[in-house]
Amino acid sequence: MKLFVDTGDVAEVQKAAEWGILDGVTTNPTLIAKSGKGFKETVLKICELVPGGDISAEVVATDYDTMLKEALEIASWHPQIVVKVPLIEPGISLVKTLSDRGIRTNVTLVFSLSQALLAAKAGATFISNFVGRVDDISDDGMNAVADTVNMVNNFGFDSEVLVASVRHPLHVVQAINVGAHIATMPLKIIEMLFKHPLTDIGLKRFLADWDQAGLSIFPKS
Ligand code: G3P
């Protein structure tokens, strides 16, 4: 499964990229606004920090003509950019136009299987199923992800299923188990994926036993 970091903060991207396991970055208007920096400069810096990574950057208009102008502008900034488009009627028309032109798209704010079908049929590169926001209203957001993965596999769509609005490591485990292609999450969630108490206990014991034995890897001088 591909691992993306969900942020507009270049320092967080830098930290996530240093592990050498990052496949991409997702931004959204809220995350970019939070960064306090310019949209284009932030996205280009993120492309530089994640060579070869898929970098999603979102249009903000809601009428087809302006969305198309924004999408072509954003796509022109860097070949790693994936244009993020909300699941609204003009958005689906836009995704069809962009995919016909070979421009990669990430359809965002997807919450249902029927929405995912529309995105897949328009030729979306990524379908961003939000789970946390569904959990927030006492429903299980991972159900739509599992259904979307089945749909993509059953009908042979090229779209990849991206699990978004990830709130905790269990969402990542569930995303893996339902066969999602990508999960995007805040840096702090990625940091939690490293953690296991038995790893800490085990390493502490290894090092204590090693030290007690007075051993060294390097020849003693
Ligand atoms: O970037 C899309 C999505 O992951 C944001 O989700 O619910 O954490 O704001 P949320």
Side-chain angles (χ1 to χ4, degrees), residues 9-32:
D9 182 329
V10 292
E12 290 189 346
V13 175
Q14 174 131 34
K15 177 152 188 211
E18 280 160 7
W19 290 311
I21 56 170
L22 195 65
D23 301 297
V25 180
T26 52
T27 68
N28 66 42
T30 303
L31 293 171
I32 294 292

Side-chain angles (χ1 to χ4, degrees), residues 63-171:
D63 68 283
Y64 177 84
D65 294 338
T66 318
M67 290 169 94
L68 179 57
K69 289 194 185 89
E70 291 180 350
L72 297 178
E73 167 64 20
I74 292 170
S76 72
W77 295 345
H78 198 285
Q80 288 172 233
I81 290 177
V82 180
V83 179
K84 215 173 176 186
V85 179
L87 200 289
I88 55 177
E89 291 182 31
I92 288 298
S93 309
L94 175 66
V95 170
K96 181 66 177 129
T97 302
L98 297 176
S99 44
D100 288 349
R101 296 185 186 195
I103 295 173
R104 297 181 305 150
T105 58
N106 177 353
V107 176
T108 188
L109 293 166
V110 174
F111 296 93
S112 70
L113 180 60
S114 44
Q115 288 180 314
L117 173 66
L118 302 175
K121 288 185 72 63
T125 312
F126 305 146
I127 301 172
S128 285
N129 280 90
F130 281 45
V131 291
R133 296 188 189 190
V134 176
D135 295 5
D136 291 349
I137 57 167
S138 310
D139 196 352
D140 184 344
M142 203 53 71
N143 290 338
V145 175
D147 293 345
T148 302
V149 170
N150 288 338
M151 174 192 76
V152 164
N153 294 340
N154 292 346
F155 295 96
F157 288 117
D158 296 330
S159 305
E160 290 191 306
V161 180
L162 191 164
V163 177
S165 184
V166 166
R167 297 292 164 70
H168 44 70
L170 189 55
H171 278 155

Side-chain angles (χ1 to χ4, degrees), residues 13-58:
V13 175
Q14 174 131 34
K15 177 152 188 211
E18 280 160 7
W19 290 311
I21 56 170
L22 195 65
D23 301 297
V25 180
T26 52
T27 68
N28 66 42
T30 303
L31 293 171
I32 294 292
K34 217 169 110 191
S35 77
K37 299 273 182 11
F39 187 26
K40 185 175 181 179
E41 72 176 85
T42 300
V43 170
L44 289 179
K45 183 65 186 166
I46 290 174
C47 290
E48 187 191 311
L49 290 169
V50 190
D54 300 316
I55 312 302
S56 291
E58 191 164 339

